[in-house]
Amino acid sequence: MSLRHELRSLVNYQDGYVAAAVHFDPDLYRVEAEKVFNRSWLVVGHEGMVAKPGDFVTNYMGEVPVIVLRSRTGDINVLVNRCSHRGNQVCLFDRGNARGFACSYHGWSYDLDGAMQGAPYEDIVYGDTLDKPSLGLKHARVATFHGLIFATFDEHALALEEWLSPDVQWWLKNFVLSVPVGGLEMLHGWHRYASSGNWKLASENFAGDNYHVWASTHVAMTAVQRDFAERGLHTPLDINAGSSQATPGTVFDLTAGAEGRAPLGIGVVATDDSMHTSDLRVAGRLGKEVVDWLEYRRRTYQELTAELVRKPKGFWHGLMYPNLGLMGFASHLSGRHFLLFHPRGVDDHEFWQWTMVEREAPDVVKEFAAEHVIFGQHMAGVVAPDDVENMERIVDASHAPTTWRSPFHYRLKLGLDAQSTSADLPGTVVPNPSEFNQRRFYQYWMNEMLKEDA
Amino acid sequence: MVSLEVHHQVEQLLFREAHLLDRHDYKEWLDLFTDDVEYRLPLTEYVQGDAAPAGHPVIQDDKTRLMFRVAKDESGYSHVETPKSLTCHLISNVLVEDIPDSPDLRAHSTFLVRQARKLRGEAWWAGRRTDVLRSVNGEWKIARRDIELDSAILPRGISVFF
Ligand code: FES
Ligand SMILES: [Fe+2]
């Protein structure tokens, strides 16, 4: 069966069925390396990670290791971390500052632009036969969006500002990167953990799955959160203790992204005052400057959304296709959390996380924000480990090839998709909770998988 | 230099703690900490050749947050600890020292923790701890714990205590 035929039978996003095979079939995984990770614009970091010339962090694009760095001239380079001689790593560290990179095997060296500088005993062993201009480190194409660094291996890919359609840019700029209130500031450090399950199990969860939060996965956490808040036992999770008090009909899920452009799924967009009210409850405890800052923030966003009928106040979670998870935590007292889901074989992935806080927020908010992030949706928090547990169980229950063709169910609020295009909130909006964002994710993923090479 | 007797008391405290954790006796375990305890775990990353803390710690708990974790796991609905992980805490290399101008003690120890989950899920955790111990009503309690975990990429999410 051709891949085209095969995929169409596996992915029926219209009816909300996607076969388990997309998470388990190693043949599809190999195609995915080409069509998803070798084609898409992938987020590889933030400019705050590489502030000065020579600063670098290492990361991955799919399973390809890359060095993200600031060059002498201030440009951002994304170089494949692989020696042109015989494929050894050239940069060994997670981050640092370097003048260039020398390979540990035979000592070939490269500058910050990836250009090959020289080989040991070059004159004696190679004479003038070494074609250095063709032996540099491979570059990915790079573009930034308000500090977020994207890279792609596809020289034919759309320009980034087209890949991110206007509604995606609106959400990223205003609600993810907080540009209207001064932008974000980096808390350095990769926080990483391994997890079983195909990377898409994490992506689809962040794109749209908030049903699991209150239905089962996180009920122990939410119950203790409420109990502790009521008993005056304060933790950073107090800010979410009132999150179920939103006015019915004011909370939405949405997917931004025009036809044929990368989707950004966002979950739990609150348009009433519940977020502000629950933030204020905690802000009182943190001091007057925190209350003032929240009010300033609120006024700024009121202006920004003055024209909109439904005014978004914040979001809980999201996913920028294909593998950047986002956490907004439905609060302005929390940090912003970025999570890359790196594929590690068809059945495994790694979470690579970093955290940012709003640059102009009072220091007490920055500290509270960081503590809220790590105590909750984080590798050692009281939220994320339960998600990971589910993924392990899915792998055990569904990896047998005889079950690959049985579909997973993504039918929540099916049928509301078509009527939901809205003139006010940017994107396609549906009532929360839904599995609309997951359906959109798989629709786009399948179309990318079927795209012929340019 | 602390006396043999004090050294023995501290070792017994750390060993008893390991047994409480392996028996999932978390209520009693919480009693080993002072009410103002600070419990921290930074991750590691390779910064220019050094194994350095990876920014903000991934655990920065006070007693309430430790109680929160215990309450969650004891609710019966905490998936990551259902069924409970089987753990074996091995504590070794205990070194106890005075803290100048303070009645408190500092205790260094190393740990090796094996965590087993159901079928194949298992993890090995190794590292070092530095504790500040305080005498409260004649009993040593842990007033601060700094954990250094030897992994740059965690083998799984953390749902056990070190
Ligand atoms: S592999 Fe890098 S110099 Fe030989
Ligand atoms: Fe979750």
Side-chain angles (χ1 to χ4, degrees):
Chain A
M1 207 178 342
S2 73
L3 175 72
R4 184 165 291 272
H5 202 88
E6 169 82 0
L7 269 171
R8 288 205 191 285
S9 74
L10 295 175
V11 181
N12 176 1
Y13 59 86
Q14 298 92 330
D15 296 323
Y17 293 117
V18 179
V22 306
H23 299 296
F24 294 100
D25 186 341
D27 292 339
L28 289 177
Y29 182 76
R30 267 195 296 277
V31 175
E32 207 169 51
E34 260 320 307
K35 303 286 184 175
V36 177
F37 291 101
N38 224 19
R39 291 281 177 273
S40 307
W41 282 101
L42 302 169
V43 168
V44 292
H46 188 280
E47 287 195 65
M49 293 173 177
V50 288
K52 298 185 307 296
D55 283 357
F56 69 85
V57 292
T58 48
N59 198 349
Y60 284 85
M61 292 170 67
E63 293 199 83
V64 179
V66 292
I67 312 165
V68 179
L69 64 83
R70 176 85 60 178
S71 76
R72 290 271 149 248
T73 51
D75 298 325
I76 307 270
N77 288 333
V78 176
L79 307 172
V80 174
N81 188 5
R82 177 180 188 277
C83 181
S84 309
H85 183 223
R86 281 218 289 282
N88 192 18
Q89 261 183 9
V90 295
C91 178
L92 311 176
F93 309 127
D94 295 316
R95 64 188 161 99
N97 187 279
R99 282 186 307 214
F101 305 98
C103 177
S104 57
Y105 197 176
H106 311 90
W108 285 23
S109 59
Y110 306 89
D111 70 13
L112 292 177
D113 292 316
M116 188 187 172
Q117 292 299 91
Y121 315 113
E122 188 181 337
D123 293 349
I124 305 167
V125 296
Y126 288 112
D128 58 5
T129 65
L130 206 56
D131 181 29
K132 284 195 266 182
S134 70
L135 290 170
L137 300 178
K138 182 180 165 179
H139 277 256
R141 264 174 78 188
V142 181
T144 60
F145 183 80
H146 295 285
L148 212 49
I149 306 171
F150 289 77
T152 178
F153 288 127
D154 184 2
E155 54 201 65
H156 304 293
L158 294 173
L160 181 67
E161 58 273 23
E162 289 178 65
W163 164 265
L164 304 173
S165 52
D167 51 351
V168 172
Q169 295 191 23
W170 191 85
W171 283 102
L172 285 181
K173 177 180 170 195
N174 296 317
F175 283 85
V176 176
L177 298 164
S178 297
V179 172
V181 285
L184 300 178
E185 167 181 306
M186 178 66 53
L187 300 180
H188 285 283
W190 286 119
H191 291 172
R192 298 172 288 202
Y193 62 107
S195 166
S196 48
N198 185 272
W199 65 277
K200 292 191 293 306
L201 289 175
S203 279
E204 62 162 65
N205 176 280
F206 275 76
D209 203 313
N210 41 70
Y211 176 42
H212 78 284
V213 176
W214 295 282
S216 173
T217 301
H218 303 301
V219 289
M221 183 277 294
T222 48
V224 177
Q225 169 183 279
R226 211 169 20 246
D227 177 50
F228 272 46
E230 279 166 16
R231 288 160 57 197
L233 294 169
H234 294 307
T235 75
L237 293 179
D238 287 357
I239 45 177
N240 303 122
S243 60
S244 52
Q245 288 155 14
T247 325
T250 64
V251 181
F252 302 94
D253 294 339
L254 64 91
T255 292
E259 183 74 33
R261 304 296 165 83
L264 168 69
I266 300 191
V268 192
V269 174
T271 60
D272 69 348
D273 267 340
S274 56
M275 251 179 81
H276 190 63
T277 315
S278 89
D279 277 352
L280 279 182
R281 240 177 337 108
V282 174
R285 204 166 84 212
L286 298 178
K288 180 166 181 317
E289 60 168 344
V290 177
V291 175
D292 291 347
W293 180 76
L294 281 175
E295 296 294 356
Y296 149 76
R297 217 187 165 291
R298 177 179 160 86
R299 282 194 304 277
T300 308
Y301 277 84
Q302 267 167 350
E303 282 164 35
L304 178 84
T305 57
E307 306 291 300
L308 303 180
V309 181
R310 294 181 291 195
K311 300 178 196 312
K313 302 300 192 305
F315 72 104
W316 195 296
H317 61 86
L319 183 94
M320 183 70 231
Y321 179 91
N323 68 335
L324 175 73
L326 298 164
M327 288 297 291
F329 298 99
S331 168
H332 301 307
L333 293 178
S334 184
R336 205 61 35 74
H337 198 176
F338 299 81
L339 310 89
L340 292 167
F341 310 127
H342 286 317
R344 288 290 179 270
V346 66
D347 285 348
D348 290 294
H349 65 281
E350 279 170 14
F351 284 74
W352 285 45
Q353 321 187 166
W354 83 88
T355 303
M356 301 187 79
V357 292
E358 290 185 349
R359 186 191 308 282
E360 288 172 12
D363 284 346
V364 50
V365 171
K366 291 180 185 176
E367 181 53 32
F368 184 89
E371 291 189 31
H372 179 267
V373 169
I374 63 160
F375 192 60
Q377 182 70 43
H378 209 79
M379 63 215 343
V382 293
V383 180
D386 292 300
D387 295 302
V388 173
E389 185 71 16
N390 284 335
M391 290 178 200
E392 278 186 25
R393 295 176 188 184
I394 290 169
V395 170
D396 192 66
S398 302
H399 81 284
T402 45
T403 64
W404 286 358
R405 302 202 72 84
S406 59
F408 288 175
H409 193 280
Y410 300 85
R411 288 167 60 83
L412 186 57
K413 298 264 166 65
L414 189 78
L416 291 182
D417 302 9
Q419 61 154 59
S420 52
T421 310
S422 110
D424 57 355
L425 276 185
T428 306
V429 184
V430 294
N432 163 275
S434 74
E435 284 162 351
F436 170 68
N437 291 355
Q438 292 95 311
R439 293 190 287 274
R440 274 296 173 95
F441 176 86
Y442 283 110
Q443 174 182 3
Y444 191 80
W445 175 84
M446 185 180 79
N447 288 338
E448 290 291 291
M449 290 285 281
L450 292 175
K451 224 179 236 172
E452 301 295 342
D453 286 335
Chain B
M1 257 283 272
V2 301
S3 68
L4 266 180
E5 192 192 341
V6 167
H7 184 94
H8 180 71
Q9 288 168 359
V10 171
E11 262 191 351
Q12 288 299 301
L13 169 72
L14 297 178
F15 294 165
R16 191 153 65 87
E17 182 197 7
H19 283 285
L20 290 173
L21 285 171
D22 291 345
R23 274 191 236 127
H24 310 290
D25 205 339
Y26 297 117
K27 289 263 155 55
E28 246 189 88
W29 176 72
L30 282 171
D31 283 342
L32 303 180
F33 296 91
T34 62
D35 290 338
D36 61 351
V37 63
E38 292 175 65
Y39 180 103
R40 289 159 178 269
L41 190 163
L43 282 186
T44 299
E45 73 182 336
Y46 288 98
V47 182
Q48 200 87 345
D50 277 342
H56 204 282
V58 298
I59 297 179
Q60 188 172 353
D61 280 4
D62 54 16
K63 189 123 182 203
T64 307
R65 292 180 211 175
L66 290 174
M67 285 162 56
F68 190 113
R69 292 175 194 271
V70 167
K72 172 180 172 263
D73 286 346
E74 300 209 321
S75 70
Y77 294 93
S78 181
H79 301 289
V80 69
E81 282 298 309
T82 310
K84 285 188 197 312
S85 292
L86 304 177
T87 60
C88 183
H89 285 70
L90 295 175
I91 307 297
S92 185
N93 303 9
V94 177
L95 213 69
V96 187
E97 58 194 28
D98 288 312
I99 300 175
D101 305 318
S102 163
D104 296 348
L105 298 175
R106 184 173 293 117
H108 305 273
S109 57
T110 56
F111 61 88
L112 182 59
V113 179
R114 179 176 179 271
Q115 177 188 9
R117 303 272 309 135
K118 298 176 295 180
L119 306 169
R120 285 165 292 277
E122 92 170 25
W124 288 86
W125 309 89
R128 285 152 303 283
R129 306 181 302 195
T130 304
D131 296 331
V132 172
L133 305 175
R134 183 166 306 148
S135 176
V136 179
N137 302 327
E139 266 187 273
W140 292 111
K141 302 258 182 196
I142 303 161
R144 180 179 171 116
R145 168 163 290 173
D146 289 280
I147 303 161
E148 251 179 83
L149 192 60
D150 288 343
S151 30
I153 299 183
L154 297 183
R156 57 184 293 126
I158 295 178
S159 64
V160 297
F161 297 101
F162 304 109

